[in-house]
Amino acid sequence: MSERQTIRRAIERAAMCGCLLGCALLCASSAAQVSAYGDKQMGENRGDELPKVLKGVQVAQHLNQQLPLDAQFVDETGKQVRLGDYFGQKPAVLTMVYYNCPMLCSEELDGLTSSLEMVHLSPGKDFSVVVISIDPTETPELAAKKKAFYLKRYGRPETAAGWHFLTGKQPAIDAVTDAVGFGYVRVPGPDGRLTQYAHASSIEVVTTGGKLAQYYLGVEYSPKDVLLGLIEASGNKIGSPVANILTYCYHYDPETNKHSLIVARVVQVGGMLTVACLGGFMFVMFRRDIKLGREHELTERRSEGWKP
C-alpha cells in the first residue's frame, strides 16, 4: 500500500465520520428543541423551583392530630358510614387518592399492597385499610372495582372486611385532608376537560383512637416500618416526623402551558456530550489510520530491501 493510498483511505474515513458527525449535530439540535404544541414555550422554572400549580401541593405532617371521626362517607357497597366506624379497637392505614388517577395513585396503592403482603398482620383482624377518594364526583361503584382489584392482588380474600374504599362529598373530604395536612390542587387534564388532581403520595398510620401516628412518603413502603408503625399505633404511640421528600402526581402546568426550562437544558447538554464523544472518537481513529498506514508502508519497503 503506497503512502498516497494510505492518505486517500484516511481521507475517506474522515469524510464518513464527518457525515456521522453532521447527522449527530442535526439530531442533537432537533432533540434540544422543545416541540411546539399550541403556544407552549420554555418556562422560567429551574430545577429547584416548583411549577405554580404545585405550590399548594404538600404533605404537612400533623402528628397526634385527631381525625374528624364524624365525617360522613359512602363505602364501596353504597352504605353511609362515619370515619369513626373504622376506629376504636384497631389501628388503620389511611391513604388519600382518587380512583380515576392516571398516574401516581395506582403506584401508591400497588406499593401499599406489596408492603402489606409482607406484614405479618391481617386486615380486618389486626388493623384496617382506609382509602378515601379526594374526588367528590367518584362513585361507590368505582370504589368497589378498585377494592376488588387490590384485594385480588393482595391474595387474601378472607381479609375483605378490613379493606374500605370510601367516597364522599367535598366538606367531608376537606375535613380529612385538612386534618392530615394533605394539600392538593384540582387541575384540568391535557384535553381541557378531564379533571385531574396534583397531589403528593403518602400513607398514614392512625392510632386506635383516630390520631395520626406516622407518615410514610413516596410510593414504596418498608414492610418493617409499616409493621412497627401499626404495632406502636395499636398502643396509641405517636411516631416521629420523616424526611419530607415528596413524590408528586402531576401532568403538566395548565396555567402557563410551558415546559420546564431544565428539561430542555438536560437534552441540550446530552446532545453536546454525544457530539464531543463522537468528535474525540473520530480524531483518535483518524490518527490511528495514518499511523497504521505508515507502518504498513515501511514494512513493505523493508521487505523489498529498502533501507532508510
Side-chain angles (χ1 to χ4, degrees), residues 170-182:
Q170 197 64 57
I173 294 171
D174 290 344
V176 177
T177 55
D178 289 346
V180 173
F182 186 85

Side-chain angles (χ1 to χ4, degrees), residues 49-126:
E49 296 179 1
L50 290 175
K52 291 181 180 179
V53 73
L54 293 183
K55 296 297 184 181
V57 177
Q58 62 178 339
V59 176
Q61 300 179 46
H62 296 169
L63 293 172
N64 207 30
Q65 173 69 41
Q66 178 70 56
L67 291 179
L69 300 183
D70 289 332
Q72 300 287 326
F73 290 94
V74 179
D75 70 8
E76 67 278 355
T77 68
K79 177 184 176 182
Q80 290 283 341
V81 296
R82 292 172 55 255
L83 186 59
D85 294 342
Y86 307 113
F87 299 96
Q89 298 179 346
K90 299 182 292 291
V93 176
L94 173 69
T95 183
M96 312 293 294
V97 298
Y98 66 106
Y99 304 133
N100 277 321
C101 178
M103 292 179 290
L104 193 65
C105 297
S106 294
E107 294 185 20
E108 179 179 334
L109 292 174
D110 288 346
L112 173 60
T113 305
S114 298
S115 177
L116 293 181
E117 288 175 358
M118 294 181 280
V119 172
H120 302 300
L121 296 174
S122 296
K125 177 184 177 183
D126 303 306

Side-chain angles (χ1 to χ4, degrees), residues 13-14 16-25 271-287:
R13 182 181 288 270
M16 181 178 66
C17 292
C19 291
L20 292 175
L21 177 60
C23 292
L25 286 168
M272 293 172 61
L273 289 175
T274 300
V275 172
C277 291
L278 182 57
F281 175 77
M282 288 171 51
F283 177 75
V284 172
M285 294 304 296
F286 183 75
R287 292 193 58 184

